[in-house]
Amino acid sequence: MTTATDTAKTRRRGQRSPLASVGLHAGLVIASVVAVFPVLWVLLTSLKPAKYATTTDFFRETTFENYTNLLRDTPFLTWFGNSLLIAGLTTVVGVFVAATTGYAVSRFRFPGKRGLMWTLLITQMFPVAVLIVPIYNIMASIGLLNQAAGLVITYLTIAVPFCAWMMKGFFDTIPAEIDESGQVDGLTPFGTFWRLILPLAKPGIAVTAFYSFITAWGEVAYASAFMVGDENLTLAGGLQKFVNQYGAQWGPMTAASVLIAIPAALVFLFAQRHLVTGMSAGAVKG
């Protein structure tokens, strides 16, 4: 006589029961709705007239007026250009510094190496609320307040420590024999890094670039404290212009939010095929 235990034993490995399948798919549906709902709400709100901004009448009098007013009547394009410049510089400099630092601590032995690695780790433990005042004083003392360069340097202090640790773990997975072959061919250490190692590190570079860009593109606290004046504001500071003590301009704000998300989405689409490989490889060794 066949028992329930015998039936379970004969079930193929990895096969789920109907109840488990229903639960799994229900969980995926719920998670998808939770992830998509806020984005969809913002998008639909940006297409509504101001009088319906706080209602659920999403498809009533659909209009692009919020977008045209945003681009025509506000310095949004100036804020967008400032953010793009700062995020671009942060990405380029962050990738270079993180990659060279990660390669150095992965391949070379030098005095202070352990201290450097601990410093990179410890700097990630401090929240923005603790660092914003000392960094503000430092930038003020060297004349970099309200300057794009000051904000880039500030964002590098956030992005580089994490990315350097990740790149170090990624370089640890690349065989050292490749470096030795470069030395045999007469390449300098930097030449070996640039011509042989860096092309093999594309997944790690993609993750570093993505993290550096998102750090600078979506940051609010430093951008709001360090930059003043419409001509110097980034998108983070500019969005606050739509909120005051008397209320909020939901139409322009949601339209700006949609436009702000486009560059981040493009960067993600460009880097997504490398993200899983780069992050998993960087986690192999610490």
Side-chain angles (χ1 to χ4, degrees):
M1 181 177 181
T2 303
T3 63
T5 303
D6 296 332
T7 303
K9 288 181 179 180
T10 57
R11 181 177 296 161
R12 291 178 302 182
R13 180 177 297 179
Q15 184 178 2
R16 291 188 297 268
S17 67
L19 183 60
S21 296
V22 171
L24 175 62
H25 286 85
L28 291 175
V29 170
I30 294 173
S32 300
V33 171
V34 170
V36 173
F37 180 75
V39 179
L40 186 61
W41 183 284
V42 170
L43 176 61
L44 294 177
T45 302
S46 71
L47 298 174
K48 295 191 298 184
K51 59 184 177 180
Y52 299 126
T54 57
T55 70
T56 56
D57 297 326
F58 291 115
F59 301 102
R60 188 173 180 181
E61 299 182 24
T62 300
T63 177
F64 288 96
E65 183 180 354
N66 291 323
Y67 291 91
T68 56
N69 291 342
L70 175 71
L71 299 176
R72 184 185 60 220
D73 301 332
T74 70
F76 176 81
L77 292 178
T78 300
W79 304 335
F80 191 93
N82 292 339
S83 289
L84 201 60
L85 173 65
I86 291 171
L89 289 174
T90 301
T91 301
V92 172
V93 178
V95 167
F96 179 79
V97 174
T100 51
T101 302
Y103 180 73
V105 297
S106 173
R107 289 295 196 266
F108 304 121
R109 301 292 180 267
F110 52 88
K113 173 184 174 180
R114 189 175 183 82
L116 173 62
M117 296 178 66
W118 274 107
T119 300
L120 294 176
L121 183 62
I122 292 173
T123 54
Q124 301 176 59
M125 300 179 181
F126 295 96
V128 172
V130 174
L131 297 176
I132 192 168
V133 173
I135 293 180
Y136 182 95
N137 292 332
I138 292 173
M139 293 302 167
S141 66
I142 59 180
L144 288 181
L145 277 183
N146 214 31
Q147 301 288 331
L151 210 51
V152 170
I153 294 173
T154 301
Y155 291 152
L156 289 175
T157 65
I158 302 173
V160 167
F162 170 78
C163 292
W165 261 98
M166 185 191 65
M167 290 302 299
K168 188 263 184 188
F170 188 87
F171 287 131
D172 285 345
T173 65
I174 299 178
E177 287 78 8
I178 297 178
D179 301 67
E180 297 171 358
S181 65
Q183 295 173 6
V184 171
D185 292 337
L187 293 176
T188 63
F190 184 79
T192 301
F193 163 76
W194 187 260
R195 298 179 61 179
L196 300 181
I197 304 300
L198 206 58
L200 299 176
K202 287 182 180 179
I205 295 297
V207 177
T208 299
F210 178 74
Y211 182 80
S212 300
F213 182 87
I214 294 300
T215 296
W217 189 255
E219 199 280 326
V220 176
Y222 291 117
S224 301
F226 293 4
M227 309 297 280
V228 295
D230 284 347
E231 70 282 0
N232 296 319
L233 289 179
T234 62
L235 290 168
L239 283 181
Q240 298 182 40
K241 296 288 185 178
F242 301 124
V243 181
N244 54 48
Q245 59 182 331
Y246 304 107
Q249 303 176 53
W250 294 111
M253 182 184 296
T254 54
S257 299
V258 172
L259 296 178
I260 290 171
I262 293 175
L266 293 176
V267 172
F268 174 78
L269 290 175
F270 176 77
Q272 66 172 338
R273 65 192 183 96
H274 296 298
L275 288 179
V276 175
T277 303
M279 295 187 73
S280 60
V284 171
K285 295 183 180 180

